[in-house]
Amino acid sequence: MVTDPVCKMEVDEKNSPASKYGEKTYHFCCPSCKSMFDKNPAKYT
Ligand SMILES: [Zn+2]
């Protein structure tokens, strides 16, 4: 399990939307958290 950086929920990294930012891959509970992150990744890292 990893933490969704947008809402801080625990998510299963095998079955969740993901974005790469810098060296890391971030995982999200839902597509709307992913799109929030994609708009402003610096805010969540
Ligand atoms: Zn989320």
Side-chain angles (χ1 to χ4, degrees):
M1 299 294 272
V2 294
T3 303
D4 177 330
V6 177
C7 67
K8 314 295 187 197
M9 246 177 74
E10 298 246 297
V11 296
D12 182 350
E13 67 267 44
K14 292 187 207 74
N15 189 22
S16 58
S19 283
K20 261 199 102 153
Y21 179 65
E23 305 272 289
K24 291 188 70 180
T25 302
Y26 296 90
H27 297 266
F28 307 95
C29 64
C30 59
S32 75
C33 280
K34 175 173 155 53
S35 75
M36 294 261 291
F37 181 88
D38 288 342
K39 275 184 208 153
N40 192 2
K43 184 177 169 184
Y44 302 106
T45 55

